[in-house]
Amino acid sequence: AQKVTQAQTEISVVEKEDVTLDCVYETRDTTYYLFWYKQPPSGELVFLIRRNSFDEQNEISGRYSWNFQKSTSSFNFTITASQVVDSAVYFCALTEGDRKLVFGTGTRLLVSP
Amino acid sequence: DAMVIQNPRYQVTQFGKPVTLSCSQTLNHNVMYWYQQKSSQAPKLLFHYYDKDFNNEADTPDNFQSRRPNTSFCFLDIRSPGLGDAAMYLCATSTATGGYEQYFGPGTRLTVT
């Protein structure tokens, strides 16, 4: 069965600090997809990234970077030089093959000025 | 430029009074999903349509129904809302199921009095 664990319930940082959000997953399939979504206070989930199980390349997009390590079943998300606008709940999610998307419980990030 | 639109954004209904939430999309995606999200929890999939094929989650109560009259529109009907149905309802779309990213609407916050 697929499972996603986000052990950090809430993280508070001061603007310009770097912050890493952890995501650990469980799956028995060799083909799976991992996602990160951002949910700002407005409520809409915003897609950030998708990674398939055969692509372990790390990715950087502006201040965002993702570290995918199959050896530790982790897909961590780092925000460099955090800003107040980064304050949101971040969800890591997993889908196996054609099955439904399973979300972690989310990490609430609070960035203060 | 809105891609997934949900109306209304806020809905108040009385206990037991049927209510319909609406979702439309301009992405021409094949799949439309309905999620329920309660406070501080991850979204929970209720059901989805792949084209005209309806796929219900095993644990979705019979009180929840859905209709998809055409590609662009999908409705969530709650036949007899209870206090426990108060939540944010999120509509999402994707090209196909499985490893495709989902695009979410802003959600409808349902209050049951």
Side-chain angles (χ1 to χ4, degrees), chain A residues 12-108:
Chain A
S12 291
V13 299
V14 177
E15 213 170 15
K16 297 185 184 177
E17 284 185 28
D18 298 347
V19 58
T20 295
L21 309 182
D22 297 333
C23 174
V24 174
Y25 62 91
E26 293 177 30
T27 177
R28 294 179 183 175
D29 276 18
T30 55
T31 302
Y32 54 91
Y33 300 85
L34 294 160
F35 302 81
W36 276 96
Y37 284 87
K38 173 183 179 180
Q39 188 173 38
S42 59
E44 179 175 350
L45 273 91
V46 177
F47 166 75
L48 296 178
I49 189 171
R50 175 187 66 181
R51 179 60 82 231
N52 74 56
S53 52
F54 300 107
D55 181 5
E56 276 193 86
Q57 263 194 325
N58 292 328
E59 181 155 339
I60 298 174
S61 175
R63 295 184 298 106
Y64 295 171
S65 62
W66 291 269
N67 182 269
F68 177 27
Q69 291 197 333
K70 289 175 75 170
S71 60
T72 55
S73 297
S74 65
F75 187 42
N76 296 337
F77 173 29
T78 297
I79 302 174
T80 303
S82 59
Q83 299 176 2
V84 172
V85 293
D86 296 326
S87 297
V89 179
Y90 291 86
F91 289 98
C92 181
L94 163 72
T95 185
E96 297 169 336
D98 203 35
R99 298 193 189 94
K100 70 177 181 183
L101 195 60
V102 171
F103 288 89
T105 49
T107 297
R108 181 177 299 277

Side-chain angles (χ1 to χ4, degrees), chain A residues 100, chain B residues 44-48 54-62:
Chain A
K100 70 177 181 183
Chain B
K44 177 180 178 295
L45 181 64
L46 296 173
F47 27 58
H48 74 273
F54 178 68
N55 298 271
N56 199 27
E57 291 300 304
D59 57 354
T60 298
D62 293 339

